[in-house]
Amino acid sequence: MKNISDIRSDFPLLSRKVYDKPLVYFDNGATTQKPQCVIDAFNEVFTEYNANIHRGVHALSDRASEEYEKAREKVRSFINAGSREEVIFTSGTTGSINTVAFSFGERFINTGDEIIISHLEHHANIVPWQMMCDRKGAILKVIPINDRGEILFDEYLKLLNNRTKIVAVTQVSNALGTILPVKEIIKAAHSMNIPVMVDGAQGIQHGAIDVAAMDCDFYVFSGHKIYAPTGIGVLYGKTKWLSDLPPYQGGGDMVANVTFEKTTYNELPFKFEAGTMNFPGAIGLGVAIDYILSLGLEDIEKREKELLVYATERISGIKEVKIYGNTDRKISIISFLINNIHQYDAGMVLDKLGIAVRTGTHCAQPVMDRFGIDGTIRASMCFYNTTEEIDLLGTGIEKVIKMFAK
Ligand code: PMP
């Protein structure tokens, strides 16, 4: 792997100052910073070949369409999908989950059917299913978690039954960092012919993803969590499901033939890509994938594990701190509270020290309810963070404690 200062210099924003202090960016779970190559690719679209894709016969449109489809191939290979038909571009994880919840619901869900999610879900993997349940008269079942922030696998097995129509779980909890045993979850569901959708929003950032090995039926993620622009995401689905599901949105490009009497739909993946797609975002995502592959996925994983170990030791060494999510299988996220200091107060003091952390429920209110708290402070790290930055966070927390002790 490149050395850390070279990696950091790939990300222009990391060298900026906040309140005249060097920025310490620990909010990578919310969104990641962008390397110069992604910024350049975005710029290149608008300065060299911006034109709508799949529409014109002119040179610019041809080039834009070609780059967009190249990006699809990069995503396909990155997640090891079987074919490009299985890779649909969306606006992000939220857009992808809404697509699955709507289309799967329309096709397969009836009154009294059950959908299983876990207690660790982000709101994006709760609300679309609730909306679908409301429309269809279906029931949402929730896998409980223990005090360490792990799902209770035996309870999951008990929830599976012949009314279960789909399981939708996150690969990694954004609030606590817990890695879920998705392979085992999928295996158990498949033994009863139940499909599984995996929310990869927090999984995609921290290591290699192989949807074929995982054997998930749907896998969704957002580009902005892996160093790509915002507004682009991916819905992977097995062809057998995608070809069976009705489209989510209607409009240009998703159709084969339109008359007032009857419309037929385009082939996959276009059936699910209505309207002008975010092709600059998709192209940026392709470049971001090239970038992280050039660093090496195994090296990224190793480095982030080291950061997690270092940060856990440093932060848990402060006796006023309580860490939420204490499983052995977690990604580089530390979610914590400091004594009885409100997370917003602590977050604001840290901000003044140049340290960006996330505070609040992290769009996972049920997780907070489970622990009887109204939020946490979350430091989410990735490969461009350093142990020096973790030390600054440690010192910052100690300053917060002193300040509120007065
Ligand atoms: N699921 C999880 C686990 C997440 O962490 C997030 C983003 N915080 C989402 C879904 C939603 O992602 P987006 O806002 O990019 O659609």
Side-chain angles (χ1 to χ4, degrees):
M1 198 183 206
K2 270 181 167 173
N3 74 47
I4 186 67
S5 61
D6 286 347
I7 290 177
R8 286 182 68 85
S9 63
D10 290 337
F11 292 81
L13 199 138
L14 292 181
S15 59
R16 68 156 289 182
K17 290 192 166 180
V18 179
Y19 309 114
D20 221 23
K21 304 212 163 41
L23 168 72
V24 174
Y25 187 73
F26 279 150
D27 199 12
N28 296 290
T31 199
T32 53
Q33 300 307 339
K34 316 304 168 200
Q36 189 62 51
C37 56
V38 168
I39 300 167
D40 289 346
F42 216 61
N43 233 344
E44 196 191 4
V45 173
F46 294 114
T47 48
E48 304 232 343
Y49 59 90
N50 175 50
N52 213 330
I53 51 168
H54 302 151
R55 281 161 174 80
V57 287
H58 60 83
L60 297 190
S61 177
D62 264 0
R63 167 88 193 275
S65 308
E66 197 182 308
E67 298 292 338
Y68 179 72
E69 292 306 324
K70 267 195 224 161
R72 195 191 308 276
E73 172 53 27
K74 285 182 192 178
V75 172
R76 187 210 63 72
S77 152
F78 185 59
I79 61 172
N80 197 26
S83 72
R84 51 186 285 286
E85 284 74 26
E86 298 185 320
V87 176
I88 290 154
F89 284 120
T90 65
S91 59
T93 307
T94 304
S96 300
I97 298 175
N98 275 279
T99 304
V100 179
F102 178 86
S103 298
F104 192 91
E106 285 304 294
R107 177 76 179 81
F108 291 111
I109 305 291
N110 295 304
T111 310
D113 286 345
E114 296 178 3
I115 289 95
I116 298 179
I117 61 169
S118 88
H119 206 119
L120 289 170
E121 302 311 316
H122 184 281
H123 297 162
N125 200 30
I126 302 174
V127 185
W129 298 108
Q130 281 175 327
M131 289 163 65
M132 186 266 269
C133 285
D134 283 349
R135 270 200 323 276
K136 292 284 172 173
I139 302 153
L140 200 62
K141 297 279 177 177
V142 182
I143 312 166
I145 54 172
N146 63 19
D147 288 344
R148 288 159 60 83
E150 299 160 324
I151 63 152
L152 300 177
F153 199 81
D154 288 346
E155 297 300 316
Y156 162 61
L157 295 180
K158 283 186 212 157
L159 289 177
L160 288 169
N161 67 61
N162 59 11
R163 289 182 304 277
T164 312
K165 287 294 176 304
I166 188 165
V167 176
V169 286
T170 193
Q171 189 179 11
V172 170
S173 155
N174 70 312
L176 306 178
T178 315
I179 300 171
L180 279 76
V182 285
K183 263 195 181 174
E184 290 79 359
I185 290 173
I186 292 165
K187 214 169 154 206
H190 282 181
S191 72
M192 299 174 70
N193 291 323
I194 300 163
V196 179
M197 189 211 81
V198 175
D199 172 356
Q202 297 292 332
I204 194 83
Q205 198 189 101
H206 301 282
I209 298 300
D210 184 335
V211 291
M214 197 188 289
D215 200 23
C216 52
D217 299 275
F218 303 98
Y219 186 88
V220 301
F221 68 93
S222 302
H224 70 98
K225 310 266 191 197
I226 49 162
Y227 318 99
T230 38
I232 187 75
V234 170
L235 159 58
Y236 156 81
K238 284 183 180 166
T239 307
K240 69 166 178 174
W241 292 113
L242 292 179
S243 45
D244 216 8
L245 297 185
Y248 175 45
Q249 291 184 318
D253 228 22
M254 52 75 72
V255 286
N257 190 52
V258 179
T259 65
F260 289 120
E261 289 70 40
K262 184 169 169 60
T263 289
T264 53
Y265 302 129
N266 204 341
E267 60 198 21
L268 288 173
F270 311 112
K271 182 173 101 176
F272 289 97
E273 294 186 351
T276 298
M277 296 300 289
N278 180 3
F279 59 95
I283 292 163
L285 174 57
V287 174
I289 288 173
D290 288 342
Y291 177 77
I292 50 181
L293 287 175
S294 78
L295 293 183
L297 295 177
E298 276 179 20
D299 286 347
I300 289 176
E301 209 172 333
K302 185 163 162 265
R303 189 171 161 70
E304 292 179 347
K305 272 193 186 132
E306 286 163 5
L307 289 171
L308 176 66
V309 170
Y310 190 89
T312 307
E313 212 170 293
R314 178 68 181 89
I315 309 299
S316 64
I318 306 170
K319 70 174 191 322
E320 291 84 353
V321 166
K322 178 169 180 194
I323 294 181
Y324 291 84
N326 296 298
T327 171
D328 299 332
R329 294 194 69 218
K330 64 184 277 194
I331 52 137
S332 46
I333 280 181
I334 309 240
S335 211
F336 62 97
L337 283 174
I338 314 169
N339 260 353
N340 52 357
I341 302 166
H342 196 275
Q343 70 268 11
Y344 291 139
D345 293 334
M348 276 162 68
V349 177
L350 291 172
D351 173 52
K352 293 291 179 293
L353 300 170
I355 304 170
V357 288
R358 174 95 185 259
T359 50
T361 65
H362 319 300
C363 295
Q365 207 183 316
V367 177
M368 302 301 133
D369 291 345
R370 166 65 178 72
F371 289 97
I373 53 180
D374 63 358
T376 68
I377 304 158
R378 184 187 70 182
S380 48
M381 298 159 283
C382 73
F383 60 78
Y384 51 55
N385 289 121
T386 64
T387 51
E388 290 76 23
E389 289 180 309
I390 295 169
D391 288 336
L392 286 173
L393 174 64
T395 318
I397 294 170
E398 283 153 2
K399 277 197 183 136
V400 171
I401 295 165
K402 267 197 204 125
M403 191 181 257
F404 285 90
K406 281 181 193 156

